[in-house]
Amino acid sequence: MQRSSWLGLAFLSPALIVVFLFFLVPVVLTGFFSFTNMSTATGVKGGAYVLNASGLRALTDAGLPKSTLEQIEGAGYRVDAKGLEALALDFGKPVAEEFAKLHEGEVFSKRRDVERALKDLRSNPIRKTRDRKQAADLFKRSLMNERFDSPTAFEAALEEAGIPETDRPLITEVAYTGWVWTTDNFGFLFSLDSTWQYAKNTVIYVVFTLSFNVLFGLFLAIATFYLPAGQAAAFRAIWFLPRILPPVLYIVMWRWFTWDTGFISTVLSGFGVPPRNWMLDTEFHAWTTIVLINGFVGASMGMIVFSSAIRAIPASMLYASEVDGASRLQQIWYIILPQLRWPILFITSYQTMSLLTSFEYIYLATDGGPGGATEVWALAAFHTALNNYGGNLQYGLGATYALILVVIGLLASLAYLRLFNFRNLLVKPRIEG
Amino acid sequence: MRISIENFTKTFGDTTVIDNMSLDINSGEMLALLGPSGCGKSTTLFAICGIHRMNGGRLLFGDRDVTKVSSQKRNVGVVFQNYALYPHMNVYDNIAFPLKVRKESKAEIDRKVQEIATLVHIGELLQRRPAQLSGGQQQRVALARALVRKPDILLLDEPLANLDAKLRLEMRSEIRRIQLQTGITAVLVTHDQVEAMSMCDRIAIMDEGRIVQLSSPKEMYEDPSSDFVAGFLGNPPIAFLEGSVDEAGFRLANSEVTLPVPAGITLPGPGSAMRFGIRPEFFQPDNALKVKGRISFVETQGREELYDVTLENGAVLRSIQTQGGSYRVGDEVTWGIAADRILAFGPDGDRL
Amino acid sequence: MKPNFRNWPVLLVLLVFSAPLLIMLAFLLVDAFTTKVPGTMIPNGVTLHHFRFLWTDLDDGSWGIWGVTLNTFNFALFTSLAVSAISLTAGYALSRLAFPARGFFLGSLIVLHAFPTVTLIIAIFLILQLLGLYNTLIGVIVVKAALELPFGIWVMKGFYDTVPWEIEMAGVQDGASRFTVWWQLVLPQVQPGLMAILIFSFLSGWSEFILPMVLAPGTEAQVLSTYLATMLLDGGTQADFNLFKAVGLFYALPVAIIYLIFQNKLMNIYGGGTKG
Ligand SMILES: Nc1ncnc2c1ncn2[C@@H]1O[C@H](COP(=O)(O)OP(=O)(O)OP(=O)(O)O)[C@@H](O)[C@H]1O
Ligand SMILES: [Mg+2]
């Protein structure tokens, strides 16, 4: 290999590492996660074996015999080190020592038996019934809410409690708190009505915002091209601002503009219209604001790209058409627009992709409201996996939503690569040494 | 330092640009690589300096095989067409750069820079930035930078292409003066035949990746090996008459006119195609071998006048004459060709 | 050009569409410094009360504005430095150096450049948890830098592409190694590109909201965007927009300054195709 090869790879390696860690691995992991049931409850790192109330309910639903369930709840009274220690703490060392000598290792099935044994202690009996009850409870052993770190420890405990072997695997499975592999996410996702609602919302969002972006971007570019330089520069500067202002501040301004204490309400109240939240009161208003919020940002990109494309049209072509007597509209239609074919295609494909996956402005403005009317696919993925009111974040299901976007994003970028003729970029380096 | 290119082949992807070329350049000689655009001159130059790797063949500097040696170690100075001065350094730093890379001492660098600046006459420009220099001055700086580390070989890729006509004339003789003064082996790439003829000891004329002829300018002008070479050299260019071999000698196409064939050449078989090349200075009113035609174009060049004469069959001969003939377009003339200066070419374009 | 066309209808349409923006901007400035009677738009007094967050704690559990500002500055600065440094070498390699699979890397760059990165945030969230970088500023910086990188490399490659090959060829002939050529001859020619990326990624980091919100929700790592967003989203109906606007103005001040200085340059870069 040539020396410059090594230099090339060395120069590229920091970028490669970063790209590997934060693009390649996440893409692959999104795929993996979408085949798991990971959530806040299961954690990310694996889990333990615990039976709790909801686990018991699941077992009941699964049709486990009542006797087995009872065995789980009350697995008897065992005189073991743990119980003795507690006994020593509460009732003094001598009591514990004697009780250990007589009964250590024994298992009583009823509390009454334990109480009797305690009463029968020769040197230091516990007199009061209430105390005996309390002391006996120290030895109560139940499988409920006890944590086991490995399946073998858990199964051993089941065996000791005398739970029939046939029921054990199911109990172990239910008791596992970590995540497991599953293909249920996909079926579940498409069985939800809300999923189709998200898809529909996304289409509305992309189609309307994109139309606004492209058409208004075109209008801005052409208008500022014909306006006197000073005015044109002023408008370009104003329209560039939404893009450069921090999104949060931009949304603060929009909220102020549309909310019931804000600009529109205040101005209209002067005409007798009662104040209301113009952003969230109806679905139609919500969508209008969302499209405008995103459109005002997106139009500036169209404006800039189209403006520079128009400026690249040879002035002689425009003069010639004017001499031929074309009106401005004809000039725009026959000369300017045909020259903008590629920039328009570029903006359209580029923004389709980013709109499809963006949710920042919607999250800050309506957060999907009112009533999920503006909840787009990407926002749903975000809500499911990372941010919801219930507090149980379903990473696995969220990743499934995201995976669909990742796949669309990858396909679209590949199409984009073809469309904009990648081969042209592949110029060989001219120094070969 | 003598340069030997042996069986040099260069391909870019599937296209072979240079095929099996061999060329020897003598020590201290200035050689021109002359040819039309795209014929592979720059490619050859880049192979000599090591920017391009050779796909086949060997390259020797003196007795040293440098085929696999990196550019940095070949000790070749190059002047590029656009000069490639480092825009962020002033002239002094530009010239000093090759010495700094070699970690020479400050005093040494200073001495060498001053010395070379004097040689190329830019002593007073050392503190300027390249952007503040005229084209000719940039050219001198580039030359100084290429020469300051005493390279074994100097390569010049169309060094005069970006200069205006007057500067070009001046720099032509300057480059030659500096080359002679330093005695360096130099290769000049150009597609301007005047440049090649006026500056170089020998010319290698190239066409489509091959060297067509290699000889001194005078020899090449008077004794071209093919119609391509004949057509490439000379200004105003040579005129060609198409025709075929006939029992009387050479018979013009679409015409009854025949011309005698120069002595001592072997003719191809009767009926086969042949062309005559006649240089403008050998088509004059008082030469012996007369042909009749009508003046179709007159160009006054100051000291001389150039006439195009259209013969009866539509072919055109060119004549250059010192002023005073006062012929006009449309005049019927009968002028003569210097029979012994006719260049005859066979069907494949080779000299007969 | 010939006056066969009047400008005022176009101007009118432009003004109507720009009105919301102009109103929002005007009242952003006015409201931050004034008081007014509720239910009207007309200010009736000048005050700095809305800027009290600068010198008193707002008692909302946040970290204090100066700590948050410092976080934001560090976040933007280190993101910008990382992106610039990595783009500087990677862009050169892709533009000028020959190495195996170069075409593949170039193709991947374009795919990455067009690839919508928010889709990866769930996986990145989990990766940071596994790496133990969750809820730290460093974690967010690394992620933000990574996501900005394809754009940075792309822009830098574009700048390298405009450096004449002859300069590098001359350098090599002068005896310099490819590294020296890059460092001493090529880098000075791409300084505008470096500036562009530094500024661009600084602004991008300064404005970033989603990443800090998801990847570092704790108060220790809070930045101005999450600070303001928390106010905004928790405010409910009692939203104190004067306060929000004052915070917003404070937040946007560096952006405005940079915008005023580099306006034209920025427009060119953003036109070069960025997210959004
Ligand atoms: N990197 C390259 N990849 C593919 N083809 C190339 C490359 N460089 C040169 N060529 C081709 O090789 C041929 C010779 O090119 P070269 O630059 O040597 O021509 P030249 O004689 O210097 O022409 P000019 O007078 O125009 O400079 C041309 O047909 C050119 O298209
Ligand atoms: Mg060339």
Side-chain angles (χ1 to χ4, degrees):
Chain A
M1 212 157 58
Q2 305 166 22
R3 251 164 311 141
S4 74
S5 300
W6 291 111
L7 189 66
L9 288 177
F11 267 35
L12 208 55
S13 52
L16 287 182
I17 293 170
V18 169
V19 164
F20 175 80
L21 263 183
F22 293 100
F23 285 91
L24 221 57
V25 175
V27 167
V28 173
L29 282 188
T30 306
F32 276 144
F33 291 151
S34 65
F35 288 95
T36 70
N37 67 348
M38 272 186 202
S39 67
T40 327
T42 66
V44 188
K45 291 177 179 164
Y49 295 80
V50 180
L51 271 175
N52 51 21
S54 74
L56 210 60
R57 229 173 297 127
L59 288 173
T60 320
D61 293 346
L64 227 59
K66 208 158 181 223
S67 60
T68 310
L69 291 174
E70 271 169 6
Q71 271 172 310
I72 294 172
E73 266 184 296
Y77 295 77
R78 171 190 301 277
V79 183
D80 54 9
K82 193 171 131 205
L84 288 167
E85 214 168 280
L87 189 70
L89 212 66
D90 288 359
F91 298 93
K93 247 191 164 134
V95 183
E97 269 166 16
E98 191 188 350
F99 195 59
K101 204 153 53 183
L102 292 174
H103 300 289
E104 177 144 28
E106 272 177 58
V107 178
F108 302 86
S109 60
K110 297 211 172 65
R111 187 165 69 185
R112 208 156 1 106
D113 301 338
V114 187
E115 286 176 38
R116 191 169 302 133
L118 283 169
K119 197 176 166 187
D120 291 347
L121 286 184
R122 211 156 308 143
S123 62
N124 236 337
I126 298 171
R127 303 254 172 248
K128 283 187 186 146
T129 323
R130 222 184 66 221
D131 287 349
R132 276 205 306 276
K133 278 197 163 69
Q134 253 178 29
D137 274 343
L138 293 175
F139 297 95
K140 180 172 181 186
R141 291 295 169 260
S142 162
L143 284 169
M144 292 299 290
N145 297 324
E146 253 205 89
R147 252 186 116 75
F148 298 86
D149 285 336
S150 72
T152 41
F154 185 68
E155 298 230 357
L158 289 180
E159 193 180 346
E160 223 163 79
I163 288 165
E165 200 164 349
T166 45
D167 293 338
R168 283 184 216 151
L170 182 66
I171 300 174
T172 314
E173 196 187 315
V174 170
Y176 184 57
T177 61
W179 55 271
V180 293
W181 298 105
T182 170
T183 52
D184 294 347
N185 288 334
F186 293 89
F188 179 64
L189 198 118
F190 287 108
S191 72
L192 289 175
D193 287 340
S194 50
T195 303
W196 300 106
Q197 182 65 36
Y198 303 152
K200 204 182 91 195
N201 289 346
T202 310
V203 172
I204 296 177
Y205 169 59
V206 171
V207 168
F208 283 97
T209 312
L210 190 67
S211 316
F212 185 92
N213 282 353
V214 172
L215 293 178
F216 197 64
L218 262 178
F219 173 71
L220 280 175
I222 294 174
T224 51
F225 177 70
Y226 282 120
L227 284 180
Q231 289 171 23
F235 277 111
R236 281 203 202 103
I238 291 170
W239 280 93
F240 189 57
L241 268 175
R243 173 161 291 270
I244 194 125
L245 279 182
V248 185
L249 174 59
Y250 179 61
I251 297 296
V252 165
M253 302 199 311
W254 273 96
R255 284 212 185 195
W256 166 79
F257 195 68
T258 53
W259 273 27
D260 43 10
T261 54
F263 181 79
I264 299 181
S265 289
T266 311
V267 169
L268 287 184
S269 69
F271 300 92
V273 182
R276 54 177 151 150
N277 188 327
W278 291 87
M279 185 191 279
L280 289 170
D281 63 342
T282 65
E283 290 189 11
F284 178 71
H285 284 164
W287 274 120
T288 311
T289 344
I290 291 296
V291 168
L292 287 180
I293 286 175
N294 283 281
F296 276 36
V297 176
S300 66
M301 181 176 173
M303 173 185 80
I304 296 165
V305 171
F306 298 148
S307 283
S308 61
I310 293 177
R311 257 179 273 131
I313 299 175
S316 57
M317 229 161 129
L318 296 174
Y319 285 130
S321 75
E322 299 220 339
V323 173
D324 291 345
S327 72
R328 287 257 160 110
L329 282 179
Q330 285 170 323
Q331 194 176 59
I332 290 167
W333 187 253
Y334 291 108
I335 301 193
I336 295 184
L337 284 183
Q339 299 282 328
L340 293 183
R341 239 190 355 246
W342 278 99
I344 289 174
L345 191 61
F346 166 75
I347 291 284
T348 307
S349 52
Y350 196 92
Q351 295 211 336
T352 306
M353 229 182 306
S354 40
L355 283 174
L356 213 54
T357 56
S358 69
F359 59 88
E360 191 172 24
Y361 291 112
I362 304 185
Y363 170 71
L364 283 166
T366 65
D367 197 17
T374 54
E375 179 98 357
V376 294
W377 192 281
L379 186 61
F382 171 71
H383 275 150
T384 311
L386 299 175
N387 177 299
N388 65 37
Y389 297 114
N392 185 20
L393 306 178
Q394 295 170 285
Y395 307 134
L397 191 61
T400 314
Y401 278 115
L403 181 68
I404 290 164
L405 286 182
V406 169
V407 170
I408 293 176
L410 276 179
L411 289 180
S413 339
L414 287 173
Y416 184 85
L417 198 67
R418 290 210 52 145
L419 193 62
F420 293 97
N421 221 345
F422 169 59
R423 296 250 156 252
N424 293 349
L425 296 163
L426 260 185
V427 192
K428 271 252 174 78
R430 286 178 57 196
I431 298 182
E432 301 175 347
Chain B
M1 176 87 53
R2 183 189 148 84
I3 308 172
S4 310
I5 304 172
E6 296 175 0
N7 308 103
F8 165 43
T9 299
K10 177 72 202 174
T11 57
F12 290 114
D14 298 333
T15 49
T16 302
V17 177
I18 308 275
D19 192 13
N20 208 17
M21 170 205 276
S22 295
L23 176 64
D24 274 318
I25 302 163
N26 300 325
S27 191
E29 168 181 58
M30 180 141 174
L31 178 111
L33 278 179
L34 178 66
S37 190
C39 70
K41 308 178 296 284
S42 298
T43 307
T44 309
L45 196 84
F46 285 154
I48 296 176
C49 66
I51 285 170
H52 283 171
R53 319 184 112 209
M54 295 165 65
N55 296 94
R58 289 207 310 163
L59 177 66
L60 300 165
F61 289 174
D63 293 327
R64 187 163 78 114
D65 185 341
V66 294
T67 317
K68 294 253 148 53
V69 174
S70 72
S71 296
Q72 287 93 338
K73 299 204 178 98
R74 287 194 190 187
N75 202 19
V76 174
V78 184
V79 175
F80 295 90
Q81 177 175 341
N82 59 8
Y83 319 132
L85 298 182
Y86 310 133
H88 58 292
M89 300 180 182
N90 66 20
V91 169
Y92 182 96
D93 290 331
N94 259 281
I95 300 175
F97 182 76
L99 305 174
K100 278 186 187 149
V101 168
R102 284 175 177 67
K103 303 216 160 46
E104 296 193 11
S105 73
K106 262 207 152 60
E108 188 73 350
I109 290 176
D110 197 52
R111 189 182 63 73
K112 287 185 177 169
V113 171
Q114 297 298 348
E115 184 185 299
I116 200 79
T118 318
L119 178 73
V120 300
H121 303 327
I122 49 165
E124 68 290 2
L125 303 174
L126 289 177
Q127 294 313 316
R128 298 229 200 136
R129 289 286 177 106
Q132 302 164 324
L133 299 177
S134 73
Q137 290 167 332
Q138 292 186 29
Q139 176 68 264
R140 288 170 191 267
V141 176
L143 210 53
R145 189 182 62 190
L147 290 172
V148 71
R149 62 198 151 91
K150 304 247 171 338
D152 300 326
I153 291 155
L154 178 66
L155 305 178
L156 305 129
D157 191 358
E158 313 216 11
L160 306 176
N162 287 1
L163 299 178
D164 65 44
K166 194 157 163 276
L167 258 180
R168 204 178 293 183
L169 214 63
E170 177 190 325
M171 285 312 292
R172 243 196 248 161
S173 46
E174 274 296 282
I175 292 177
R176 181 60 164 166
R177 168 183 73 82
I178 293 164
Q179 188 263 334
L180 287 175
Q181 214 162 326
T182 52
I184 192 169
T185 312
V187 179
L188 171 82
V189 160
T190 175
H191 53 235
D192 180 349
Q193 46 104 13
V194 181
E195 232 170 83
M197 305 226 294
S198 60
M199 291 169 73
C200 295
D201 301 308
R202 284 197 302 163
I203 299 176
I205 198 159
M206 289 183 68
D207 186 27
E208 293 182 350
R210 287 172 301 112
I211 291 184
V212 188
Q213 188 172 356
L214 173 64
S215 42
S216 71
K218 187 172 155 61
E219 201 181 313
M220 191 167 276
Y221 185 77
E222 290 175 352
D223 193 13
S225 67
S226 69
D227 55 353
F228 173 79
V229 178
F232 211 87
L233 295 190
N235 187 24
I238 195 166
F240 288 108
L241 294 177
E242 307 291 336
S244 55
V245 182
D246 160 307
E247 52 282 6
F250 177 73
R251 183 183 149 132
L252 280 183
N254 309 321
S255 153
E256 295 304 313
V257 180
T258 56
L259 295 173
V261 174
I265 63 171
T266 40
L267 281 180
S272 56
M274 190 160 88
R275 23 187 359 206
F276 270 12
I278 295 145
R279 295 206 182 270
E281 59 269 36
F282 303 129
F283 180 52
Q284 299 290 338
D286 35 0
N287 281 343
L289 183 57
K290 297 292 187 199
V291 288
K292 217 158 69 171
R294 182 190 298 272
I295 294 184
S296 54
F297 179 72
V298 179
E299 184 184 309
T300 309
Q301 293 186 334
R303 211 158 11 88
E304 288 151 337
E305 268 167 0
L306 175 66
Y307 301 104
D308 281 6
V309 177
T310 307
L311 307 187
E312 281 156 357
N313 71 337
V316 176
L317 280 180
R318 245 171 246 122
S319 170
I320 190 155
Q321 300 172 19
T322 44
Q323 277 230 341
S326 66
Y327 299 99
R328 288 160 195 279
V329 172
D331 289 355
E332 294 271 356
V333 292
T334 307
W335 288 346
I337 301 168
D340 55 336
R341 308 309 288 262
I342 293 176
L343 303 169
F345 302 97
D348 51 2
D350 284 348
R351 241 327 254 300
L352 297 173
Chain C
M1 294 196 190
K2 251 192 320 179
N4 58 354
F5 186 82
R6 274 184 297 273
N7 278 339
W8 67 262
V10 174
L11 211 55
L12 198 69
V13 177
L14 265 179
L15 276 174
V16 167
F17 268 94
S18 312
L21 270 179
L22 291 171
I23 291 169
M24 286 185 222
L25 288 169
F27 278 95
L28 174 67
L29 291 172
V30 172
D31 286 356
F33 294 101
T34 59
T35 56
K36 62 188 171 205
V37 187
T40 67
M41 281 290 125
I42 300 124
N44 64 355
V46 177
T47 178
L48 283 180
H49 178 66
H50 309 312
F51 282 92
R52 65 190 177 280
F53 65 91
L54 289 178
W55 51 84
T56 52
D57 265 344
L58 281 183
D59 202 30
D60 55 358
S62 78
W63 208 35
I65 189 75
W66 297 108
V68 174
T69 308
L70 184 68
N71 271 350
T72 317
F73 180 77
N74 283 339
F75 175 57
L77 180 72
F78 285 106
T79 300
S80 152
L81 290 179
V83 171
S84 307
I86 300 178
S87 308
L88 215 51
T89 57
Y92 183 67
L94 287 174
S95 169
R96 288 297 161 93
L97 296 173
F99 51 87
R102 177 168 171 273
F104 170 77
F105 288 130
L106 262 176
S108 323
L109 177 66
I110 300 172
V111 172
L112 285 183
H113 177 51
F115 186 77
T117 40
V118 257
T119 52
L120 300 176
I121 193 152
I122 298 171
I124 289 177
F125 169 81
L126 296 174
I127 289 177
L128 282 199
Q129 291 215 325
L130 290 174
L131 289 180
L133 287 177
Y134 178 67
N135 228 341
T136 63
L137 206 53
I138 295 185
V140 202
I141 290 174
V142 173
V143 171
K144 176 69 181 169
L147 300 192
E148 285 290 314
L149 202 54
F151 179 69
I153 297 179
W154 185 249
V155 171
M156 234 22 248
K157 177 187 172 293
F159 275 93
Y160 280 121
D161 283 346
T162 64
V163 177
W165 265 107
E166 282 77 12
I167 289 204
E168 285 189 64
M169 291 178 176
V172 167
Q173 289 310 316
D174 285 345
S177 68
R178 284 309 288 274
F179 184 85
T180 311
V181 166
W182 172 69
W183 184 249
Q184 293 200 18
L185 302 183
V186 179
L187 270 192
Q189 325 290 323
V190 295
Q191 261 171 12
L194 183 59
M195 273 301 281
I197 296 206
L198 276 171
I199 295 169
F200 180 87
S201 35
F202 183 88
L203 282 183
S204 177
W206 188 264
S207 304
E208 178 63 45
F209 165 62
I210 292 283
L211 292 179
M213 176 187 64
V214 174
L215 304 177
T219 39
E220 294 282 285
Q222 196 169 38
V223 290
L224 282 168
S225 62
T226 47
Y227 179 86
L228 182 55
T230 314
M231 278 187 181
L232 182 70
L233 299 178
D234 291 353
T237 46
Q238 298 307 308
D240 179 355
F241 277 107
N242 294 78
L243 174 65
F244 298 172
K245 285 179 176 180
V247 175
L249 262 190
F250 174 75
Y251 177 25
L253 201 63
V255 179
I257 292 170
I258 292 176
Y259 176 54
L260 286 178
I261 301 176
F262 299 106
Q263 186 181 342
N264 288 327
K265 270 196 191 109
L266 280 173
M267 280 210 195
N268 286 339
I269 311 174
Y270 279 91
T274 105
K275 314 277 155 179

